[in-house]
Amino acid sequence: MRDVSKLAGVSTMTVSRVLADPSIVAPDTRERVMRAVDQLGYVPDLVAGSLSSRRTNFVGLILPTLTNSNFADTAQGLAEALGQSYQLLIGYTLYRAGEEERLVRSLLARRPQGIVVAGTLHTASTRRMLLAAGIPVVEIWDAPGAPLDRAVGFSNFEAGRAAARHLLSLGHRRIVAIGSEADGDRRDARGEARLQGFAAVLREEGVETGLILRHGPAPVSYAHGAAAMKLLLRDMPDVEGVFAVSDGSAFGALMECRRQGIDVPGRISLMGFGDFEVGRECEPAISTIRVDAKGIGMKTGQLLRDLIDGRDAGAPQSIDLGIEVVPRGTTALPCRASVSNQAMQGSEP
Amino acid sequence: MRDVSKLAGVSTMTVSRVLADPSIVAPDTRERVMRAVDQLGYVPDLVAGSLSSRRTNFVGLILPTLTNSNFADTAQGLAEALGQSYQLLIGYTLYRAGEEERLVRSLLARRPQGIVVAGTLHTASTRRMLLAAGIPVVEIWDAPGAPLDRAVGFSNFEAGRAAARHLLSLGHRRIVAIGSEADGDRRDARGEARLQGFAAVLREEGVETGLILRHGPAPVSYAHGAAAMKLLLRDMPDVEGVFAVSDGSAFGALMECRRQGIDVPGRISLMGFGDFEVGRECEPAISTIRVDAKGIGMKTGQLLRDLIDGRDAGAPQSIDLGIEVVPRGTTALPCRASVSNQAMQGSEP
DNA sequence: CTGAAAGCGCTTACAG
DNA sequence: CTGAAAGCGCTTACAG
């Protein structure tokens, strides 16, 4: 900057002004400065700028993993909504609360102007740091009653309930939900909430043939679904309906059925969660529960911009973007031989 | 920090030392400082630290998109190899060279200590900025003869050649490669290189029934493969072998075949590229060309650490991690009715 | 083992 | 419209 100011024959203050807001500098001065900037290939040092202005233009984002199309979509949505004004600092926890704490600490050291964190399950330390940071905090992918600060998401518990109800409405009774199991401090709290919602409906409806199957650690994906389905088919061959806590897992389960020659949805109805591209494009397309992953990112981005600029305008603490059951090709009314036979007999004169 | 030093009754310099390297401070002084840090919940300001020490501990990463499991794996591998020493600054170009230039400029303003960029196709400005930055630059996902600085990847051209050779070795002659088409400054140069490699083999072998199909803009994914396959089946119903430039696209093509009741690999051999999880877990599993996406990230991370620490030790300019053809369930020798008939007739006495 | 001084490269807040 | 001074919160480089 010093070099630029010398070359342009102005003070560094003027260079700074040209870069920040050209309109407040006289046209010919501005011209000289811009030519000098070009000539020297000068790129301003935002580290120094941030320290001086107390604005880093960073936003921190903490996700369990990016190897999940839902979270990648959320990240992309957030990046788009923040645009060029803010740079995203992304960290992965791999579903570990301890890792989250470490990440929060190291992100906070970069003095972000806002921080976005997946879920509402934090260590006490994490919670304290987040609150003490004095910046907007947005918890996403859940809809807590009392967020730390703000939240953008939906109810995972309700998603699990909706899945169970959909399968029951089809007439299935031997229905199973498959998810992951906690492993030390590694746990998918949101997937677990979906399992809980599913279990709640089983209890409410008095369905005793239902089952919750927790298999392997998070994150679940294709291979998880395949393995869980294999176990399930071995132990409960007459299963009628399956809900996987993620479309990735549902896809794996569908492929396992195909390998075993089991007709979906003819013999088993299968549904997933998340509306992943793989479920949409798959044949048959996977019935699912849609959540607006990219929308969560975009909404969070807008909210953050408003909060940072003090344009809060009484935004609600917790924004629930809702869920939507999307029946597709993998769920259907059961068409059992016995039922058909009875119907045929009944129609005989 | 001033608060901590007052509370501990030492100078800020001593606090700084305790945080940077506790062993060089007297045990009881250290104790007092650490207690003060805990009590105040002090998190050091890395922005100020970076400016002062001229070390930001940032590494920039520029990828076309994160909504592609290969790139997400590379990002995760890089993050793992860099560990807690460096924070990743990630940007997406969506395959636009102009966007890349903007991103490079804005990342460089954060003064990263190294920068990783996918591919070798840059605008002149981008090239100049990268070179002038005075930091290690690693181009990934390609193996250029003359990298800007360093490169970690493989030859996309050879990958295309390998695909064509594999399909030809199976006895197919009507073979097609499907990829994306350039759209303004939006282009997948690496996918295009794979198409070129494929085309080169067709020429070398004098196969005139082959075809290169460019459909839609990058990034290609499931829907792209389905749409391209649909067009292909309409215009060239007797196609025997298909190579999609990405496993995502190959999966979409496979699903389209299933919708149309076309047997893969019975009637058409299909192969992809990238060894995506979806191709591994799919039934039938998709034949592919494996590249070590996570390995590219990890190797790049190690290289960067060495370069930043001056432990260069004569590392080569360009590291080629190679490719590997992985035949799986979607490619097979053709088994045509006419061939079988002749064989049967031949065996008659 | 500890501290006082200087400075990293900008922006803020003031003056002219 | 432009500039000189002060300072952001640390670390470097020196001194003791």
Side-chain angles (χ1 to χ4, degrees):
Chain A
M1 187 148 175
R2 159 140 272 102
D3 298 339
V4 176
S5 69
K6 274 182 188 150
L7 184 59
V10 296
S11 72
T12 59
M13 207 38 245
T14 300
V15 177
S16 175
R17 283 195 187 97
V18 171
L19 264 17
D21 181 4
S23 71
I24 59 170
V25 175
D28 59 328
T29 316
R30 190 199 310 157
E31 272 310 310
R32 263 182 303 142
V33 171
M34 283 164 79
R35 225 168 313 130
V37 166
D38 268 3
Q39 197 173 323
L40 296 174
Y42 170 69
V43 178
D45 186 333
L46 285 182
V47 178
S50 295
L51 177 61
S52 183
S53 68
R54 318 303 304 134
R55 278 179 283 105
T56 57
N57 291 349
F58 275 131
V59 164
L61 173 62
I62 296 182
L63 255 18
T65 164
L66 267 185
T67 314
N68 167 308
S69 61
N70 263 336
F71 292 131
D73 285 345
T74 294
Q76 205 130 353
L78 181 58
E80 279 177 31
L82 292 174
Q84 310 183 11
S85 322
Y86 296 92
Q87 165 76 44
L88 229 42
L89 282 171
I90 306 180
Y92 323 84
T93 65
L94 291 176
Y95 289 99
R96 284 184 235 268
E99 187 66 5
E100 182 186 83
E101 181 175 326
R102 202 190 61 66
L103 272 170
V104 165
R105 193 185 312 280
S106 89
L107 285 191
L108 252 24
R110 303 285 185 180
R111 299 297 188 262
Q113 298 188 252
I115 190 160
V116 180
V117 42
T120 56
L121 182 75
H122 317 294
T123 66
S125 272
T126 303
R127 215 186 310 275
R128 213 177 317 121
M129 283 190 285
L130 251 15
L131 254 15
I135 55 174
V137 176
V138 186
E139 292 167 284
I140 59 171
W141 276 88
D142 217 331
L148 272 178
D149 179 10
R150 307 300 171 114
V152 176
F154 57 89
S155 166
N156 285 282
F157 187 83
E158 288 305 325
R161 288 174 62 103
R165 285 217 207 83
H166 181 61
L167 291 174
L168 290 174
S169 77
L170 260 19
H172 304 305
R173 281 298 170 275
R174 300 184 63 83
I175 63 176
V176 179
I178 60 182
S180 64
E181 58 187 343
D183 174 25
D185 81 333
R186 183 172 179 177
R187 60 191 325 139
D188 174 8
R190 291 168 298 290
E192 181 59 29
R194 299 194 283 276
L195 294 180
Q196 298 289 352
F198 191 92
V201 170
L202 294 183
R203 278 196 306 276
E204 289 162 19
E205 304 292 329
V207 178
E208 285 167 14
T209 46
L211 181 74
I212 310 296
L213 175 62
R214 293 180 182 80
H215 176 71
V220 302
S221 187
Y222 307 137
H224 168 269
M229 195 69 189
K230 198 167 190 172
L231 282 177
L232 183 59
L233 289 169
R234 190 193 63 192
D235 296 340
M236 189 173 168
D238 55 350
V239 57
E240 300 166 346
V242 174
F243 165 57
V245 291
S246 142
D247 271 2
S249 193
F251 174 77
L254 178 61
M255 292 301 115
E256 182 60 25
C257 287
R258 189 183 310 284
R259 273 188 287 274
Q260 299 200 20
I262 290 169
D263 183 24
V264 174
R267 201 178 117 196
I268 295 179
S269 276
L270 178 64
M271 66 184 300
F273 168 87
D275 191 20
F276 286 22
E277 192 187 3
V278 73
R280 281 194 299 273
E281 297 296 329
C282 178
E283 173 60 29
I286 299 175
S287 299
T288 195
I289 294 178
R290 178 179 296 154
V291 295
D292 188 1
K294 189 166 185 183
I296 289 175
M298 299 194 68
K299 188 75 203 168
T300 300
Q302 289 167 231
L303 180 61
L304 236 26
R305 296 184 76 133
D306 286 350
L307 290 169
I308 292 172
D309 299 348
R311 274 184 277 108
D312 191 353
Q317 292 292 115
S318 188
I319 299 173
D320 189 332
L321 261 28
I323 57 172
E324 181 190 358
V325 173
V326 184
R328 289 200 280 232
T330 57
T331 47
L333 292 169
C335 48
R336 298 202 214 111
S338 59
V339 174
S340 311
N341 287 345
Q342 283 172 1
M344 278 157 60
Q345 283 166 8
S347 67
E348 277 175 1
Chain B
M1 186 148 174
R2 158 140 274 102
D3 298 337
V4 175
S5 70
K6 273 182 189 152
L7 184 58
V10 296
S11 72
T12 59
M13 207 36 243
T14 300
V15 176
S16 175
R17 284 194 187 99
V18 171
L19 265 16
D21 181 3
S23 72
I24 60 171
V25 175
D28 58 330
T29 315
R30 189 199 310 158
E31 271 311 308
R32 262 183 301 142
V33 171
M34 282 164 77
R35 224 167 316 128
V37 166
D38 268 1
Q39 198 174 322
L40 296 174
Y42 170 68
V43 178
D45 186 333
L46 253 36
V47 179
S50 295
L51 177 61
S52 183
S53 68
R54 316 304 303 134
R55 278 180 283 105
T56 56
N57 292 350
F58 275 131
V59 164
L61 172 63
I62 296 182
L63 293 172
T65 164
L66 266 185
T67 314
N68 167 309
S69 62
N70 263 337
F71 292 131
D73 285 344
T74 294
Q76 204 129 354
L78 182 57
E80 279 177 30
L82 292 175
Q84 309 182 11
S85 323
Y86 296 92
Q87 165 77 44
L88 229 43
L89 283 171
I90 306 180
Y92 322 85
T93 65
L94 291 176
Y95 290 99
R96 285 185 234 267
E99 187 65 5
E100 182 185 82
E101 180 174 326
R102 202 191 61 67
L103 272 170
V104 165
R105 193 184 312 280
S106 89
L107 285 190
L108 252 23
R110 302 284 185 180
R111 299 295 188 261
Q113 299 187 251
I115 191 161
V116 180
V117 42
T120 56
L121 182 75
H122 318 293
T123 66
S125 271
T126 302
R127 215 186 311 274
R128 213 176 319 120
M129 284 190 283
L130 251 16
L131 254 16
I135 55 175
V137 176
V138 185
E139 292 167 283
I140 59 173
W141 277 89
D142 217 330
L148 271 177
D149 178 10
R150 306 301 171 112
V152 176
F154 57 89
S155 166
N156 285 282
F157 187 82
E158 287 304 324
R161 289 174 61 103
R165 285 218 207 82
H166 181 60
L167 291 173
L168 290 174
S169 76
L170 260 18
H172 303 305
R173 280 297 170 275
R174 300 185 64 83
I175 64 176
V176 179
I178 60 182
S180 64
E181 59 188 340
D183 173 25
D185 82 332
R186 182 172 180 178
R187 61 192 325 140
D188 174 8
R190 291 170 299 289
E192 181 60 29
R194 298 195 283 276
L195 294 180
Q196 298 289 352
F198 192 91
V201 170
L202 293 182
R203 277 195 308 277
E204 289 162 20
E205 305 290 331
V207 178
E208 284 168 14
T209 47
L211 182 74
I212 309 296
L213 175 61
R214 293 180 182 80
H215 176 70
V220 301
S221 187
Y222 307 137
H224 167 270
M229 195 70 191
K230 198 167 190 172
L231 282 177
L232 182 58
L233 289 169
R234 189 193 63 191
D235 297 338
M236 189 175 169
D238 55 350
V239 57
E240 299 166 345
V242 174
F243 165 57
V245 291
S246 141
D247 271 2
S249 193
F251 174 77
L254 177 61
M255 292 302 114
E256 181 60 25
C257 287
R258 189 184 309 286
R259 273 189 286 274
Q260 298 200 20
I262 291 170
D263 184 26
V264 174
R267 201 178 116 197
I268 295 178
S269 276
L270 178 64
M271 66 184 300
F273 168 88
D275 190 21
F276 285 23
E277 191 187 6
V278 74
R280 282 195 299 274
E281 297 296 330
C282 179
E283 174 59 31
I286 299 175
S287 299
T288 194
I289 293 179
R290 177 179 296 154
V291 295
D292 188 1
K294 189 166 185 183
I296 289 175
M298 298 194 68
K299 187 76 204 167
T300 300
Q302 289 167 230
L303 180 61
L304 236 27
R305 296 184 76 132
D306 286 351
L307 289 170
I308 292 171
D309 298 349
R311 274 184 277 109
D312 190 354
Q317 293 292 115
S318 190
I319 299 173
D320 188 332
L321 261 30
I323 57 173
E324 181 190 358
V325 173
V326 184
R328 290 199 280 230
T330 56
T331 48
L333 292 168
C335 48
R336 299 207 210 104
S338 56
V339 173
S340 312
N341 287 347
Q342 285 171 358
M344 277 157 61
Q345 284 165 7
S347 67
E348 277 174 2

